Structures are given as structure tokens and as C-alpha cells.
Amino acid sequence: MDKQHISLEDLAKLKSQRELIRLFKSNGSASSDRIDKRLEYELELERLQVALGVMHRWVQFNAQRVAIIFEGRDAAGKGGTIRRFTEHLNPRAMRVVALPKPTEKEKGQWYFQRYVNHLPNPGEIVFFDRSWYNRAVVEPVNGFCTREEYKRFMRQVPEFEQMLLDSGIILIKFWFSISKSEQRKRFASRKVNPLKQWKLSSLDHRAQELWEDYSRYKERMFKNTDSDQSPWIIVQANNKKIARLQSIRYVLNTVPYRADAETFEIDPDIIARYAGA
């Protein structure tokens, strides 16, 4: 196809990166495999986001409550995936919860108390960018809780989640898994990108050094808190785009929003329930 001239007027009409890719593709300006794959990703993401909108309306109209937990190592792609979930949902019926470190008052409360305050109301989806599972991995690895506090949490969390399920909350627990080398590469990218430097924290600087400690506590968490009623779903996230698509598909397959809803194909090499060591 011959390349067609792209005018400033054409560019001014664009509203998203997705539309820009479509424009370049449609006029023959871009035919590389990289552009083809990016367009394929954007079109599939759009299709899934349309389905998410249908699902969200079902949640609203039927007063359902959905809580989706995103856990994983630093730089695993949790925040970017949440953005793809939420960017076209009704903001009045969904929330993203990313709590800062607890205040002195909160430190004196029952551990789960501040999370209970953010659970979904009827007709609402809540996305937890990290959750109560901070106490299962991040806190003990970094010395932010005592041994007794950790052991108490591990005893209580299965009962806590069973209470959520008994109350009718649909609970989905994701763990985004990346390799040590991929984490190192993403940290390096953040350091040189002024738009992402806010993501770097003191914990990030120690994440590589404490890799094995994180692994040990992560496995202990899986073994003690995975159940048929509340399973851990492991997402292989070295490829961010594939991880995003697959996690959205999993949610669409899990939330029973329509009896005749399409079943979306899941790649078992990318997303699967925790199966033990």
C-alpha cells in the first residue's frame, strides 16, 4: 500500500494512542511486525474492555460486590494492569485502593480494619493495588511487623476471607510473577524515565537484594491461604501486555455476569491457579 499523507488535521482528531496506531496502519505508513502486534494488542484490549463494561453494568444493576486483589513483586505490572481494567469503567461504581503505610492510630487497630473500610459496596468493583497481604510478604521481609503479628495474620486471614465470601463478595486474588532479571530491567528503566521515577521507593532498592526472602514468604503465603473458595491466581507477567489481556479474560470468565457470555480463552502458561511447589 502506498503511503498517504497524514495532515495536522488528521492528528488533531486523534483521541488515543490506539487511534494513532490505526491511522498509521490504515494509510500504509506502518507495516512492521512491531506495529502489527501493537495494533493487534490494542484491538483485543478494546474488545475485552467492552466486555468489562457489560460485566460492570451487571454488577451495578444487580447490587453485586466484587473485590480484585493485585499482589506481586515490585515492578510486576500491577498498576498498569489495573489501569487497563478501569480506564473505561464507570468511575461512580468502582474504586482503586492503594493504601499508604498505616498511621499510628491504624497501627493500634485490628490489622484488617482499615481494609474493611474499603471493601466494595453493593453495585461496586474495588481494585486493591496491594492489600492485606502486605503482612504476608512485604512486612515480614522488611521488618515492618513482629513475628507474632505475622503469625496472627496467617491464622486469621483464611477466616477473614471466608467471611467476605459468606457475605456475598466475589473475591479474586492475583499474584503477578516476574523474573529477577526482568525486575532489574524495569527498575533500571524507571531510574532514567522522569515520568516513572515516582514509582521508585526505598523498598525497590532492596528488592533484588531480598529476592530469596520474598520468594520464601510468598510460597508460605500461597500454601497457607490458597483454597478452593479463595484461590491464588498466578499471572506470568514478564510480558506486560499478555499479562494484562489474560488477567482481564480471567475476570470475565469468573464473574457470572451473563449466562450466555462469551468464554475467553486462557493461556495456561500465562495464568493458572497456584499448584504448590
Side-chain angles (χ1 to χ4, degrees), residues 1-6 23-31:
M1 180 187 297
D2 294 334
K3 293 182 181 179
Q4 304 295 318
H5 176 69
I6 297 177
L23 176 61
F24 274 89
K25 181 70 177 175
S26 65
N27 81 341
S29 296
S31 59

Side-chain angles (χ1 to χ4, degrees), residues 7-72:
S7 68
L8 291 177
E9 289 77 10
D10 292 331
L11 294 175
K13 295 176 183 177
L14 300 177
K15 298 179 180 179
S16 67
Q17 185 181 73
R18 185 177 296 157
E19 291 183 0
L20 177 62
I21 295 170
R22 280 175 166 165
L23 176 61
F24 274 89
K25 181 70 177 175
S26 65
N27 81 341
S29 296
S31 59
S32 69
D33 288 344
R34 185 173 181 179
I35 293 293
D36 289 344
K37 289 179 180 178
R38 183 56 188 256
L39 180 60
E40 181 181 350
Y41 162 74
E42 293 290 349
L43 292 176
E44 177 61 10
L45 178 59
E46 184 179 76
R47 183 174 79 98
L48 295 174
Q49 288 175 332
V50 169
L52 278 174
V54 175
M55 183 200 81
H56 195 203
R57 287 192 290 275
W58 174 84
V59 170
Q60 291 175 260
F61 297 151
N62 292 277
Q64 297 294 308
R65 292 172 293 158
V66 181
I68 307 177
I69 289 174
F70 292 79
E71 292 287 347

Side-chain angles (χ1 to χ4, degrees), residues 135 144-154:
R135 179 141 293 179
F144 296 157
C145 68
T146 67
R147 183 67 182 169
E148 183 53 40
E149 287 171 333
Y150 167 77
K151 291 167 65 176
R152 184 186 308 124
F153 169 84
M154 295 299 281

Side-chain angles (χ1 to χ4, degrees), residues 203-219:
L203 295 185
D204 293 338
H205 295 304
R206 303 184 64 210
Q208 290 268 296
E209 173 189 341
L210 297 172
W211 183 271
E212 295 304 326
D213 291 331
Y214 275 102
S215 295
R216 184 169 64 254
Y217 277 96
K218 175 195 71 173
E219 286 300 319

